[in-house]
Each structure stands twice: as structure tokens, then as C-alpha cells.
């Protein structure tokens, strides 16, 4: 099945899973409060501990969900990261659509009218 040609979409497949293994393992570790605290104390050291590459580190520093997806992040694991940053689904949706959060909320409200 050829599914790599969906414009604007990063498909999470086997290749992306391998690419993002370290990133997703780190995000999974955030299930434990002690790990979330350790990350908050020194993000760079925590990224080093999990072996993130520069692409992944840059995406973490920029809090850029789209770049995290492109770097192999799985949305279910990235939700753990988003929780640390107090990002909600609307914040992530705004990033994915290239809109401001307020514009994204308005779009959602208009769609429900």
C-alpha cells in the first residue's frame, strides 16, 4: 500500500517508528512523575539520556509538534510531552493547521454551527 504521498501529512509507518524510537521511548517515560520532573529540571540532559538526535532535540526545544511528528514522534506518545507543556488538543490542532489558537477555536466553533 502506497501511502507516503498524502500532502501535509507525516504517515507513522515502520520507518517512522524506527526513526522515532528514542523520542517515543522518552515520551513514554513521562508516565512517571519523577521522570517528568527530571525532564523539567534539565531538558537537554534528559534528551541525552534517551539518545535523541539533533532533529528531535530541536523540535523539543521549539515545542513544535509538527517537527516532532516528522522526527518520528507518535502522536500517542507525544501527548505525554504535550501534557508536560500544558498544551491541549486545540493548541496542537492550531500548530497542525498553521493557525493561531484563537483562529483554530473559531474554526471549530464555526464547524459546529
Amino acid at each position: 500500500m502506497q501511502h507516503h504521498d498524502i500532502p501535509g501529512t507525516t504517515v507513522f509507518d515502520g520507518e517512522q517508528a524506527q526513526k522515532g524510537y528514542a523520542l517515543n521511548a522518552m515520551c513514554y517515560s513521562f508516565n512517571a512523575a519523577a521522570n517528568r520532573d527530571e525532564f523539567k529540571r534539565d531538558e537537554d540532559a534528559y534528551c541525552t539520556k534517551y539518545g535523541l538526535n539533533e532533529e528531535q532535540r530541536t523540535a523539543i526545544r521549539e515545542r513544535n509538534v509538527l517537527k516532532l511528528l516528522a522526527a518520528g514522534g507518535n502522536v500517542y506518545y507525544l501527548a505525554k510531552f504535550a501534557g508536560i507543556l500544558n498544551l491541549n488538543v486545540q493548541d496542537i490542532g492550531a500548530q497542525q493547521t498553521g493557525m493561531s489558537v484563537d483562529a483554530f477555536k473559531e474554526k471549530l466553533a464555526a464547524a459546529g454551527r
Side-chain angles (χ1 to χ4, degrees):
M1 177 177 186
Q2 185 63 276
H3 53 70
H4 290 93
D5 297 328
I6 303 170
T9 302
T10 301
V11 176
F12 190 79
D13 57 10
E15 183 177 322
Q16 283 297 100
Q18 289 183 334
K19 180 179 180 181
Y21 182 81
L23 172 62
N24 293 317
M26 182 182 84
C27 290
Y28 180 79
S29 77
F30 296 146
N31 283 319
N35 292 337
R36 294 190 297 270
D37 292 341
E38 183 180 342
F39 175 81
K40 289 177 188 175
R41 281 193 302 275
D42 189 341
E43 292 184 16
D44 197 51
Y46 203 80
C47 289
T48 297
K49 179 178 176 179
Y50 278 87
L52 269 62
N53 63 33
E54 189 52 40
E55 177 187 16
Q56 294 163 339
R57 288 169 179 264
T58 298
I60 290 285
R61 281 191 296 271
E62 293 177 357
R63 288 11 185 182
N64 188 311
V65 174
L66 292 180
K67 287 184 178 179
L68 287 166
L69 291 170
N74 177 294
V75 70
Y76 296 106
Y77 293 116
L78 294 179
K80 307 291 182 190
F81 178 66
I84 289 174
L85 303 175
N86 295 320
L87 296 175
N88 60 37
V89 173
Q90 293 170 346
D91 295 319
I92 294 171
Q95 282 190 27
Q96 290 180 313
T97 57
M99 304 171 82
S100 70
V101 174
D102 288 338
F104 185 71
K105 287 179 180 178
E106 180 58 34
K107 178 182 174 182
L108 292 177
R113 291 181 194 142

